[in-house]
């Protein structure tokens, strides 16, 4: 664990990140990023323990249909979308990035034990909604703290380090759930208890080791500056990023559905199902830092689009009649993890390039809200399509939609023509736009 001493690298400029000059050593990742990564690692162990068993618990134990699961999974993601903007706005308006993030992590930790007494679908839905409310509150303030703690040219690498640590938790969570399911008599209840204990530890680490102020943090906003949402939405870069995140999110099938499709395709037993997320997490963990550094050099938006091409390839493998070889499972999960490594932290870094410090949390929340809301709609639509047409046809339709969305996003993210007076040149980066 790296202790945060508050001596974070200053954000020397409010402009977009630039790649390091040739021969110049890249900026080191500040201690605050490692501290936040530790919190995310611990929290993801807790969250992924539940996420790994929840699809099978709902479908196999409670007999939920694919459409019913799609609705519940949609709520799981949709509530997060609704409150992300609230979290970003609260942090920017004087609530403090750490305070808002702490409230979000705390709420999610309180929800884990409630799964013990929530055996009906409505109650489980309510608990999941509260858990996602916590995630929505904390995400934008946490990412704002990361972007403000490091130099602009190193944001891709810093987010890559954070996402790698986060993914280490995603790797350990399903493994721990697998061990508990096989060893504990209580089965799913034992997983929920362990998850709650781990989540409480994450909140404690955040309180003790994450600094409450980053050296690049903006000064408190004056009353005239406390309505930043419209100014954020007026920025062309933010509008383009949000539009692309929404377009691609509308055809991004949730992890749970992808794992259920893979489990049925390979006819895996229920006992092995919690291990499927390990493949995704392993690829994400290995690639997050290298791809974050690549994004700093070749362009964050370009890499973001390439990540969705990896997801498209994973869909194609699941749709194609390629048999049930274990190699197919490994390749699909590797592509799935590559997709996250090339898009998750990279999108946050690209968004941080497009907005100034004073509205950093709000800008991140706008893009993240658009993406999460689109994925909420995708979960519901995919569940309905699976119920009506079957898993393979539904996934083939999603793949076709993703190909179209990627093509449209490539057009939207093209750099504006030279001399475009409407483009916010003071917040545009050669490393992002080229």
């Amino acid at each position: 664990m790296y202790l945060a001493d508050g001596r974070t690298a200053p954000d020397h400029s409010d402009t977009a990140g630039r790649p390091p000059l040739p021969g110049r050593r890249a900026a080191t990742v500040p201690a605050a990023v490692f501290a936040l990564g530790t919190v995310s690692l611990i929290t993801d162990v807790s969250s992924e323990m539940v996420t790994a068993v929840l699809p099978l618990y709902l479908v196999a134990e409670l007999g939920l249909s694919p459409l019913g699961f799609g609705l519940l999974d949609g709520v799981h993601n949709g509530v997060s979308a609704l409150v992300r903007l609230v979290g970003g706005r609260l942090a920017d308006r004087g609530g403090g990035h750490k305070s808002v993030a702490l409230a979000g992590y705390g709420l999610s930790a309180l929800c884990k034990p409630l799964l013990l007494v929530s055996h009906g679908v409505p109650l489980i839905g309510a608990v999941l909604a509260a858990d996602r409310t916590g995630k929505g509150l904390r995400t934008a303030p946490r990412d704002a703290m990361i972007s403000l703690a490091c130099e602009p040219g190193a944001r891709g690498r810093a987010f890559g380090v954070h996402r790698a640590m986060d993914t280490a938790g995603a790797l350990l969570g399903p493994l721990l759930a697998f061990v508990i399911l096989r060893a504990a008599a209580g089965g799913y209840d034992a997983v929920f208890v362990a998850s709650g204990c781990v989540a409480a530890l994450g909140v404690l680490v955040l309180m003790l080791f994450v600094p409450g102020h980053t050296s690049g943090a903006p000064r408190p906003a004056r009353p005239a500056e406390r309505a930043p949402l419209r100014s954020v939405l007026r920025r062309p870069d933010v509008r383009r990023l949000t539009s692309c995140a929404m377009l691609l999110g509308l055809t991004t099938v949730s992890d749970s559905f992808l794992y259920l499709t893979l489990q049925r395709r390979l006819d895996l037993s229920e006992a092995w199902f919690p291990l499927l997320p390990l493949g995704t997490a392993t690829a994400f963990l290995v690639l997050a830092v290298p791809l974050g550094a690549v994004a700093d050099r070749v362009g964050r938006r370009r890499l973001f689009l390439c990540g969705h091409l990896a997801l498209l390839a994973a869909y194609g493998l699941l749709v194609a009649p390629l048999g049930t070889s274990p190699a197919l499972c490994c390749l699909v999960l590797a592509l799935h993890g590559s997709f996250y490594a090339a898009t998750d932290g990279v999108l946050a870094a690209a968004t941080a390039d497009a907005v100034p410090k004073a509205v950093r949390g709000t800008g991140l929340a706008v893009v993240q809200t658009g993406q999460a809301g689109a994925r909420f709609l995708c979960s519901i639509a995919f569940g309905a399509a699976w119920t009506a047409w079957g898993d393979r046809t539904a996934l083939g339709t999603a793949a076709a939609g993703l190909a179209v969305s990627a093509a449209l996003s490539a057009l939207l993210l093209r750099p504006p023509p030279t001399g475009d007076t409407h483009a916010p040149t003071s917040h545009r980066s050669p490393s992002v736009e080229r």
Side-chain angles (χ1 to χ4, degrees):
M1 179 185 302
Y2 290 77
L3 302 185
D5 58 6
R7 294 174 296 174
T8 54
D11 191 354
H12 294 297
S13 171
D14 202 23
T15 60
R18 295 179 177 83
L21 295 174
R24 182 179 175 183
R25 184 179 177 184
T28 58
V29 176
V33 175
F34 285 104
L36 286 165
T38 302
V39 174
S40 292
L41 187 156
I42 296 170
T43 302
D44 241 38
V45 170
S46 170
S47 297
E48 294 302 323
M49 286 175 66
V50 174
T51 301
V53 302
L54 196 62
L56 206 61
Y57 176 65
L58 294 173
V59 174
E61 290 286 316
L62 301 184
L64 209 60
S65 70
L67 176 58
F69 179 74
L71 290 170
L72 200 57
D73 192 61
V75 169
H76 193 242
N77 293 301
V79 171
S80 173
L82 293 175
V83 298
R84 286 189 191 207
L85 194 56
V86 175
R89 294 284 284 115
L90 285 175
D92 285 342
R93 288 171 66 90
H97 294 123
K98 179 178 177 179
S99 298
V100 177
L102 184 60
Y105 279 107
L107 178 59
S108 293
L110 289 173
C111 290
K112 300 300 189 299
L114 294 179
L115 289 169
L116 289 168
V117 294
S118 305
H119 298 295
V121 173
L123 284 176
I124 291 176
V127 172
L128 292 179
D131 175 71
R132 293 297 92 179
T133 298
K135 180 175 177 59
L137 283 175
R138 70 182 183 249
T139 300
R142 179 204 66 201
D143 286 350
M145 283 192 285
I146 295 170
S147 72
L148 293 168
C150 62
E151 294 180 4
R155 281 183 186 137
R157 185 165 177 258
F159 276 105
V161 168
H162 174 268
R163 294 320 196 248
M165 296 181 71
D166 181 88
T167 306
L171 187 66
L172 295 172
L175 185 60
L176 187 55
F178 173 75
V179 171
I180 292 174
L181 279 178
R182 294 181 69 88
Y188 293 108
D189 286 349
V191 172
F192 299 150
V193 169
S195 174
C197 295
V198 175
L201 176 62
V203 174
L204 184 62
V205 171
L206 175 63
M207 293 175 61
L208 297 179
F209 297 107
V210 174
H213 176 80
T214 55
S215 58
R219 57 176 172 77
R222 294 191 299 266
E225 297 173 328
R226 290 184 177 177
L229 184 57
R230 282 175 295 179
S231 66
V232 169
L233 294 175
R234 281 198 296 264
R235 305 181 71 83
D237 276 0
V238 173
R239 292 202 301 268
R240 284 195 292 267
L241 283 170
T242 304
S243 298
C244 292
M246 292 176 66
L247 267 175
L248 295 165
L250 285 171
T251 50
T252 301
V253 175
S254 76
D255 296 357
S256 298
F257 271 127
L258 187 138
Y259 298 142
L260 283 171
T261 302
L262 190 57
Q263 186 251 350
R264 294 191 177 196
R265 175 76 181 271
L266 301 179
D267 196 26
L268 292 175
S269 69
E270 295 181 3
W272 294 98
F273 182 83
L275 294 182
L276 289 179
L278 294 181
T280 297
T282 300
F284 194 173
L285 176 63
V286 170
L287 296 173
V289 176
L291 289 182
V294 168
D296 286 337
R297 292 184 174 275
V298 306
R300 292 158 189 164
R301 303 181 187 192
R302 179 182 297 172
L303 191 64
F304 177 70
L305 290 174
C306 289
H308 284 84
L309 296 182
L311 182 63
L312 181 61
Y315 289 174
L317 290 174
L318 284 174
V319 171
L322 298 178
T324 58
S325 168
L328 173 65
C329 178
C330 295
L331 187 53
V332 168
L333 295 177
L335 287 168
H336 195 221
S338 301
F339 154 70
Y340 277 116
T343 59
D344 191 17
V346 172
L347 178 61
T351 305
D353 293 339
V355 290
K357 296 175 185 176
V359 290
R360 185 65 53 77
T362 302
L364 286 162
V366 165
V367 177
Q368 292 167 353
T369 296
Q371 182 184 59
R375 289 182 177 180
F376 160 67
L377 296 176
C378 181
S379 287
I380 296 175
F382 188 82
W386 183 330
T387 302
W389 305 330
D391 56 346
R392 183 167 292 185
T393 302
L395 192 61
T397 303
L402 181 58
V404 173
S405 297
L408 292 174
S409 296
L411 294 175
L412 282 172
L413 292 180
R414 285 186 306 178
T418 303
D420 184 354
T421 59
H422 299 289
T425 55
S426 62
H427 295 279
R428 191 168 62 247
S429 164
S431 68
V432 175
E433 293 289 350
R434 69 179 176 222

